[in-house]
Amino acid sequence: EVQLVQSGAEVKKPGESLKISCKISGYSFTTYWIGWVRQMPGKGLEWMGVIYPGDSDTRYSPSFQGQVTISADKSISTAYLQWSSLKASDTAMYYCARPRAVAGPLDYWGQGTLVTVSS
Amino acid sequence: EIVLTQSPGTLSLSPGERATLSCRASQSLSSSYLAWYQQKPGQAPRLLLYGTSSRATGIPDRFSGSGSGTDFTLTISKLEPEDFAVYYCQQYGSSLLTFGGGTKVEIK
């Protein structure tokens, strides 16, 4: 059974750093892309970017380029999304999801990680 | 960037009625690379349809999709109580995936 299990909710202050995770099981981690989707409170879905764990090829949406870093650790089948300096506007639910290709329908999703940034 | 515009924003219907949701793209989508998702409160989105009209695993046949080029439609033939949710379209014709703003299907 394919599973994407994300790390728990986080409460941070502006300026702090953060790394959230998405652990994959049920398929070969290195043979599918993994992406991240943001959903701000009460809003729609936004594609942030994607990584291919096999070779760490990473693509970012222009809106998120330079704002976040997507990475992966093949040894533990885990993808990451990180911020070096959080802003209040980063408050959102973040989902990892598996596309069928670098650009494809997202057929498996994590349960989401709620990030709250507040002073 | 391909912009997707969904309409209406909210659809108020009763169980058993037919729901028709629209998704319009700012440019023609190659090979109909259009998907639909359902999201219920407190849950992650779930893939319903891909390639415009192919149902994802486990999706009942009351969900169907049609369209091509820039105009796409999700139809729910007879609304069940569990179908009241928000629906998003998504294009994957380019490496920059984009989503529509969503249509909320609510109980009338």
Side-chain angles (χ1 to χ4, degrees):
Chain A
E1 179 193 6
V2 174
Q3 287 193 309
L4 283 64
V5 179
Q6 297 186 230
S7 49
E10 301 274 2
V11 179
K12 292 288 191 179
K13 294 186 180 340
E16 291 186 329
S17 63
L18 176 64
K19 192 174 189 177
I20 63 174
S21 66
C22 174
K23 179 158 178 66
I24 277 72
S25 61
Y27 71 91
S28 175
F29 180 60
T30 56
T31 57
Y32 283 88
W33 295 78
I34 283 286
W36 289 91
V37 176
R38 182 175 79 175
Q39 187 168 39
M40 299 177 77
K43 302 298 184 184
L45 305 171
E46 300 173 89
W47 180 246
M48 301 178 71
V50 64
I51 187 166
Y52 188 73
D55 61 7
S56 294
D57 185 4
T58 308
R59 319 276 177 91
Y60 293 94
S61 164
S63 300
F64 293 93
Q65 179 84 48
Q67 307 304 307
V68 297
T69 302
I70 295 171
S71 61
D73 185 336
K74 290 187 287 190
S75 67
I76 54 172
S77 299
T78 300
Y80 299 98
L81 178 66
Q82 70 179 93
W83 296 259
S84 58
S85 180
L86 286 159
K87 303 186 275 287
S89 56
D90 293 317
T91 294
M93 181 71 80
Y94 293 89
Y95 295 100
C96 60
R98 191 191 81 170
R100 293 186 177 190
V102 61
L106 305 170
D107 53 4
Y108 291 98
W109 292 69
Q111 83 278 18
T113 296
L114 180 62
V115 174
T116 304
V117 184
S118 174
S119 54
Chain B
E1 175 182 325
I2 299 175
V3 177
L4 299 179
T5 302
Q6 291 187 241
S7 61
T10 302
L11 201 48
S12 299
L13 295 167
S14 301
E17 290 193 294
R18 181 184 188 91
T20 303
L21 288 66
S22 173
C23 177
R24 177 163 290 176
S26 59
Q27 55 188 275
S28 183
L29 298 185
S30 57
S31 301
S32 296
Y33 287 153
L34 193 284
W36 290 91
Y37 299 85
Q38 176 193 67
Q39 188 178 33
K40 297 180 181 178
Q43 295 185 16
R46 176 175 70 145
L47 178 65
L48 295 177
L49 302 172
Y50 62 94
T52 299
S53 59
S54 297
R55 278 186 294 276
T57 303
I59 302 304
D61 61 7
R62 64 179 181 273
F63 291 93
S64 63
S66 62
S68 64
T70 61
D71 290 299
F72 299 87
T73 300
L74 168 67
T75 301
I76 310 171
S77 58
K78 278 188 185 178
L79 283 164
E80 297 287 341
E82 62 268 26
D83 298 337
F84 291 91
V86 179
Y87 293 83
Y88 294 95
C89 59
Q90 177 222 0
Q91 67 78 23
Y92 50 98
S94 73
S95 60
L96 175 54
L97 308 185
T98 52
F99 293 91
T103 290
K104 181 179 182 181
V105 178
E106 65 175 23
I107 299 176
K108 186 174 181 180

